Amino acid sequence: MISRLAGLLFARHGCLIFLGGYFLLLLALRITLFHGSSEDDAEQLFFSQAVSWGYKVNQPPLYTWLVILLQKAVGVSEASVAIVKYSALFAIYYFIYRAAEEIFDDTVYAALSTLSLLAIFYINWDAVVNYSHTVLMAAFLAATLFAVLRLPARNGILSYVVLGALLGLGLLSKYNFALFLVPLAIAAAASKNLRAHLFTPKILISLAVAAVLIAPHAAWLLGSPGSIKTTPEYMDVAGGAGSAIVRTAKGVLDAAAGAVLFLSPLWLLYLVFFRRAFAPLTGRVSDGFLSDSRIADHSAGAEADRRFFEIYFLAFGALAVLGIAAFTLAGIRNHWMIPLLPFSLYMMLRIRAVSPRRAVLERFAVLLAVFAFAVVIALTVRALTAPNFCKKCNFFFPYAGLAEQIKTAGFDRGTILVNDLPNQLGGNLRRYFPESRIISRRYAYFTPVLKRDGGKCLLVWNESPWAHKNTRAVVVALAERKLGLSIPAGLPSRYLEAPLPRSKNRTAKLGYLILPDCG
């Protein structure tokens, strides 16, 4: 049975067909079982009200642009965000597989390199339910790696145009894409054949394409008004007592721990199944992708392959240490370690060199596939049980029922002003009022124009048990500041309530005011 299942995964593109079905199933579960949006998804629904060269100074705009494109086809819905995310997730696996095809001359190790990502918690669980820009960046990371590894075989003008597009789009997906590009360039510079193909006049084509793509956003970024929130959301500058050396040491330890945790439990599985691959590989042989010809000396090719990745990882580590030392950073987030994504390719080079038995490879492949089934089960169980104990309940907020009550109360379109703490009401409500403009306290600097003249004015805030208190005053102040409204203090608030789906007795509650116009 195991051999038969492994045979299907090891067939040419067999694991990609398996993964394609897996992500289609995840997409279906996400849309049907979860009634609310994650923080990142709701943010995208909010910002996708308008096309702009930028939305936040700490996040580039590509993800939002893709959501806007999807909304032309599927409307303003959770699907418009989920399709982008799960397509990007599948793209990560797809391009790692294509990169592995450039390295290995059989499908077994290409499949194992790809399926290994299922055993990385931050890829196969955390990214499934959270994150947006990081997922998209990881997809461009894998695609760029494939494009670079392919240059020795295909180095026409078109290849450099595609590479330039990937460089520009990668930077437009997330700024720390640069943390991948710098080590990649260093590793390529140390490789004889890649150096010849990257450090060539043709690379100017790639750089020009990338520059054209990022120039409009860069201009927006440089001219961003001071009212835009500029405090980095994902960076913590180490402070407090202690010297800069002590603070830097703490940051380095955080980064090291983050790297180990990011690659967990994959590295533990490698250790259990392929312990010998962690030993020195002197004299071991394998096929290689960096030699001029496929018939070149296998031992030299194997060493060049492994050396390329080793230099890449060392360069990434050195860059991380330099960054931590320069800014005395602490609180390093584990998902910042996305540049470690090629770890599975490197380890498969080492694993192949020790020639494990076919039966061991088959058992390992089936175990990796089990991780996919485990995520499907866990996601379903979470959808069915979490409404009874969730804290902010982003995924289970009953927006459909609440929106229906708002319509019954007399608001159909116009301007909606919200306080988006702790739940992002604005982006979620936009799914039910796509013709309305949303103004958020959280993103007060972003004020889209009305799609249609007229309409009423809705002020709405969270009154659920887990919400912040006295938020009516925050929304009223927002309306007065942004729209010049004058709202009498004695105007009574109105309330509406709806049960959380699949919960026993928990409800979400909103407070609101409806005004005949917005001034």
Side-chain angles (χ1 to χ4, degrees):
M1 182 65 174
I2 289 178
S3 295
R4 185 175 300 175
L5 291 174
L8 294 174
L9 295 170
F10 290 158
R12 182 167 177 78
H13 298 160
C15 78
L16 291 180
I17 294 171
F18 168 75
L19 290 167
Y22 171 55
F23 285 112
L24 284 174
L25 180 56
L26 290 183
L27 175 63
L29 292 175
R30 177 67 186 86
I31 293 173
T32 57
L33 295 183
F34 295 83
H35 299 271
S37 301
S38 68
E39 288 279 325
D40 283 0
D41 288 359
E43 180 180 281
Q44 293 307 311
L45 287 166
F46 172 77
F47 281 127
S48 60
Q49 293 180 79
V51 178
S52 172
W53 290 121
Y55 300 91
K56 299 172 65 178
V57 296
N58 60 339
Q59 296 285 17
L62 180 58
Y63 200 103
T64 308
W65 293 346
L66 294 175
V67 171
I68 291 172
L69 285 176
L70 258 294
Q71 288 176 353
K72 303 295 184 183
V74 300
V76 180
S77 62
E78 178 59 37
S80 66
V81 183
I83 290 173
V84 174
K85 168 181 274 191
Y86 289 107
S87 296
L89 279 169
F90 177 72
I92 296 170
Y93 291 80
Y94 173 79
F95 285 110
I96 288 294
Y97 185 89
R98 296 301 307 277
E101 284 186 317
E102 296 297 312
I103 299 172
F104 303 107
D105 61 351
D106 63 60
T107 61
V108 172
Y109 288 92
L112 289 173
S113 299
T114 308
L115 293 170
S116 288
L117 303 184
L118 293 171
I120 298 178
F121 172 83
Y122 287 94
I123 299 295
N124 193 37
W125 175 254
D126 218 20
V128 166
V129 295
N130 299 304
Y131 307 134
S132 54
H133 300 86
T134 297
V135 173
L136 190 60
M137 186 203 78
F140 282 108
L141 183 157
T144 304
L145 178 64
F146 164 62
V148 169
L149 298 185
R150 202 183 190 195
L151 283 178
R154 296 194 179 184
N155 51 30
I157 298 298
L158 181 59
S159 295
Y160 287 91
V161 171
V162 170
L163 177 59
L166 292 172
L167 297 177
L169 294 174
L171 289 169
L172 286 173
S173 64
K174 198 169 180 70
Y175 300 131
N176 57 8
F177 185 69
L179 297 179
F180 157 73
L181 291 182
V182 173
L184 180 67
I186 293 172
S191 163
K192 178 181 178 181
N193 286 323
L194 284 182
R195 180 170 64 245
H197 292 290
L198 278 183
F199 296 90
T200 169
K202 290 181 183 177
I203 200 65
L204 296 176
I205 299 172
S206 301
L207 296 177
V209 171
V212 168
L213 287 173
I214 65 177
H217 174 65
W220 175 90
L221 196 61
L222 292 173
S224 295
S227 60
I228 292 182
K229 179 181 178 182
T230 56
T231 302
E233 294 180 356
Y234 305 111
M235 180 180 296
D236 179 21
V237 178
S243 67
I245 294 177
V246 172
R247 297 196 301 271
T248 297
K250 181 182 183 303
V252 171
L253 289 175
D254 286 345
V260 172
L261 290 173
F262 176 81
L263 293 172
S264 297
L266 178 61
W267 68 271
L268 286 170
L269 295 178
Y270 283 154
L271 191 60
V272 170
F273 277 82
F274 312 107
R275 185 175 64 257
R276 289 190 302 148
F278 288 83
L281 296 180
T282 305
R284 308 283 187 180
V285 298
S286 174
D287 199 15
F289 66 84
L290 297 181
S291 49
D292 285 322
S293 169
R294 287 292 180 182
I295 62 173
D297 179 74
H298 282 217
S299 179
E303 290 178 7
D305 295 353
R306 296 195 297 268
R307 190 181 306 114
F308 169 81
F309 285 112
E310 286 164 358
I311 293 172
Y312 167 81
F313 292 129
L314 285 172
F316 172 67
L319 183 64
V321 171
L322 287 174
I324 291 167
F327 299 102
T328 57
L329 300 180
I332 305 297
R333 302 293 182 90
N334 295 337
H335 65 273
W336 286 11
M337 297 298 154
I338 283 289
L340 298 179
L341 201 63
F343 178 73
S344 65
L345 295 169
Y346 172 65
M347 282 305 302
M348 280 302 144
L349 281 165
R350 300 186 66 90
I351 289 166
R352 188 180 186 189
V354 301
S355 303
R357 290 181 295 112
R358 169 85 179 197
V360 175
L361 298 175
E362 290 175 347
R363 288 196 295 271
F364 186 61
V366 172
L367 174 62
L368 293 172
V370 167
F371 277 89
F373 291 104
V375 168
V376 170
I377 294 171
L379 201 62
T380 304
V381 170
R382 179 179 183 180
L384 297 178
T385 61
N388 288 300
F389 57 81
C390 57
K391 294 182 179 178
K392 292 195 295 184
C393 301
N394 286 321
F395 288 106
F396 311 106
F397 212 94
Y399 290 103
L402 294 168
E404 201 57 42
Q405 293 181 56
I406 290 173
K407 292 176 182 178
T408 301
F411 180 86
D412 53 357
R413 68 174 184 84
T415 297
I416 303 175
L417 298 103
V418 300
N419 181 22
D420 266 333
L421 293 171
N423 302 96
Q424 292 215 33
L425 304 180
N428 280 287
L429 287 175
R430 183 169 172 255
R431 292 184 289 160
Y432 305 97
F433 300 96
E435 293 299 315
S436 295
R437 149 176 83 162
I438 314 290
I439 299 176
S440 166
R441 172 63 183 83
R442 183 184 292 200
Y443 310 109
Y445 58 85
F446 182 78
T447 307
V449 298
L450 275 170
K451 290 181 170 54
R452 294 167 56 187
D453 291 337
K456 297 180 180 180
C457 197
L458 172 69
L459 282 64
V460 61
W461 59 92
N462 201 339
E463 288 280 350
S464 302
W466 57 85
H468 298 271
K469 302 304 178 185
N470 301 320
T471 56
R472 165 180 162 146
V474 173
V475 182
V476 168
L478 177 68
E480 292 174 344
R481 186 173 75 255
K482 299 292 290 186
L483 302 178
L485 298 181
S486 179
I487 301 172
L491 186 65
S493 299
R494 302 166 70 182
Y495 300 93
L496 43 89
E497 198 167 358
L500 270 63
R502 296 181 294 277
S503 68
K504 295 179 180 179
N505 54 13
R506 302 186 73 193
T507 60
K509 183 178 180 181
L510 298 181
Y512 71 99
L513 296 171
I514 296 178
L515 306 177
D517 61 67
C518 286

